[in-house]
Amino acid sequence: MSKLQDLKAQRTALYAEFKSQQEQYDGKQMPSEVRAAWDKMHAELNELDVQIDSEERRMAGEKMAVQSTIQQEERKADSKSEMVAFRNYLLGVEDPSIAKRALNGTNGGVLVPTSIADRIEKALGGISGFYSAVDVKTTTSPGNLTVPTFNGAGRRAMPVAEYAQSTRQGLTFDEVTLGAHTLRTDIIPISYELLQDSAFDIEKEIADILVEYLSAGLNYEMTNGTGDKTAMGIVKSATVVSKAGAGITYDDLVNQRKQVKAGYARNASYMMSTATECDLMLLKDGDDRPLWLPSMREGAPATLFGRPVIINDDMADGEVIFGDLKAYKARMVKGFSVIVDKSILIDHLSVALIGYCRMDGRLVNADANPVTILK
């Protein structure tokens, strides 16, 4: 008998005795010793209820854990089957025992297993400080995405007398349309030797190659894109603040900070290239204190005027961005696709791989100076 069954049996027997005592003295005064025993049984019933509830919760938790483990193992098995099928396909090995669910391509190419695409998507979130700092919206379909925007700069609540009528103010909501432009890698050769030697690690090899390509492309377009069949980069749409001379001075940075309203400055960051950061490390304020401060905590960014500094080497040297980077809206279509073709590089004993993603991005409320660029 299980513990739960034993507890329920104890409760059933105790409740029968408890009910019998209650019925025997129904409407009558219980003797004190009987009343004491009856109260004790009542307390024991409550305690058994607590133990039964706790045991049921424990058993339910164990059942869920077992089910979760089974589901994880099934997913691993599915992923392994996909990778075996994928690798065998690339090597020209026929394996009819494995369902080639991942190999539904067109025009002589095949789509890689979803596990590779998932690995790429997960990795991209950690490789670019800029990508992590902006507002990324992920969609499942590539149709245009309309993002409503409202510029509340200069508006505030006003004191109004009791029972006085509130002022009606027309509000105009703007909107930004984000498309789904394609970023595509070069044709990447994967040698048959690599396929034969790497076994199931081919998943990691392909994912690492594509992360390097796609992360570089995403960061560049979100930084410098012209908006023509690609994103409108933040450099092209940020409000320009002119430097007084060739180099960056303390006064230049103060003047730039002055252009960003408090609502945006509250969550603002700096962004610049490595070379520009090195130049700013030498700047000091009027009391000869350095403006640039290294982080004292591992993984945290350095600061300038107390605000985080993001390094983006796709920016030109000598330019500094300051503002709320969440005002830059990026759109990603979920899923990174990879096409593999076995024929076009056969004379090199290699298969051809092309990766691509769909994206767009632009700065909203640009007229309110949420982000400025010193140049």
Side-chain angles (χ1 to χ4, degrees), residues 28-338:
K28 302 177 184 178
Q29 181 70 32
M30 283 185 180
S32 58
E33 63 276 10
V34 175
R35 178 70 188 191
W38 192 79
D39 289 342
K40 182 180 179 182
M41 282 189 288
H42 188 268
E44 290 175 352
L45 281 171
N46 288 337
E47 177 59 27
L48 283 169
D49 285 339
V50 171
Q51 293 184 41
I52 288 171
D53 180 67
S54 177
E55 184 64 13
E56 287 177 338
R57 289 174 180 271
R58 184 190 67 78
M59 292 179 66
E62 287 183 353
K63 183 178 180 180
M64 289 179 62
V66 170
Q67 290 175 340
S68 176
T69 300
I70 292 173
Q71 291 172 353
Q72 289 177 7
E73 292 301 321
E74 289 175 345
R75 284 195 293 268
K76 287 180 182 178
D78 288 343
S79 177
K80 184 175 180 180
S81 294
E82 285 185 350
M83 288 310 303
V84 170
F86 179 63
R87 182 171 174 271
N88 284 345
Y89 171 83
L90 297 182
L91 290 171
V93 177
E94 291 297 329
D95 191 347
S97 65
I98 298 174
K100 296 178 174 57
R101 294 182 297 275
L103 310 182
N104 299 318
T106 58
N107 301 326
V110 296
L111 296 180
V112 299
T114 54
S115 55
I116 293 182
D118 290 343
R119 185 189 288 259
I120 295 169
E121 188 168 357
K122 183 177 180 180
L124 282 175
I127 45 78
S128 168
F130 179 32
Y131 184 84
S132 300
V134 304
D135 183 14
V136 180
K137 300 183 183 300
T138 302
T139 62
T140 56
S141 60
N144 285 346
L145 175 67
T146 300
V147 180
T149 65
F150 168 62
N151 180 7
R155 301 184 185 275
R156 61 184 176 88
M158 302 290 289
V160 179
E162 187 176 2
Y163 295 117
Q165 185 176 18
S166 296
T167 302
R168 295 187 180 185
Q169 176 66 54
L171 298 180
T172 302
F173 285 85
D174 294 326
E175 60 184 33
V176 171
T177 300
L178 299 177
H181 309 298
T182 300
L183 293 185
R184 188 190 307 174
T185 71
D186 296 332
I187 295 177
I188 305 168
I190 304 291
S191 71
Y192 275 77
E193 290 86 351
L194 177 62
L195 293 172
Q196 291 173 333
D197 295 342
S198 59
F200 299 121
D201 285 343
I202 189 61
E203 177 182 7
K204 181 178 184 302
E205 299 290 344
I206 291 176
D208 288 348
I209 292 171
L210 292 170
V211 165
E212 183 175 350
Y213 267 93
L214 293 173
S215 62
L218 283 168
N219 197 82
Y220 183 86
E221 297 303 327
M222 288 168 54
T223 303
N224 297 304
T226 62
D228 181 16
K229 299 180 182 179
T230 186
M232 175 61 78
I234 196 167
V235 167
K236 303 292 185 182
S237 49
T239 301
V240 175
V241 178
S242 299
K243 294 184 289 187
I248 300 174
T249 66
Y250 174 86
D251 289 350
D252 288 331
L253 293 173
V254 172
N255 183 45
Q256 181 186 26
R257 169 64 184 82
K258 185 170 62 175
Q259 310 306 315
V260 179
K261 294 185 182 298
Y264 293 118
R266 202 163 22 243
N267 300 312
S269 300
Y270 284 95
M271 189 163 68
M272 64 195 73
S273 69
T274 301
T276 304
E277 181 192 40
C278 291
D279 290 340
L280 295 187
M281 287 180 183
L282 304 176
L283 280 184
K284 298 179 180 180
D285 64 13
D287 295 320
D288 204 35
R289 295 173 300 190
L291 302 180
W292 183 92
L293 293 176
S295 172
M296 303 303 291
R297 182 164 55 88
E298 184 178 356
T303 60
L304 180 64
F305 286 122
R307 305 309 305 165
V309 176
I310 295 172
I311 301 303
N312 182 351
D313 282 325
D314 283 323
M315 286 183 60
D317 294 341
E319 295 182 348
V320 177
I321 279 179
F322 176 73
D324 186 355
L325 298 184
K326 289 295 183 185
Y328 189 89
K329 308 297 181 183
R331 185 269 182 93
M332 296 294 302
V333 179
K334 185 174 178 60
F336 295 86
S337 298
V338 184

Side-chain angles (χ1 to χ4, degrees), residues 349-361:
L349 199 59
S350 299
V351 296
L353 179 150
I354 297 179
Y356 69 91
C357 66
R358 308 286 298 278
M359 59 79 68
D360 197 5

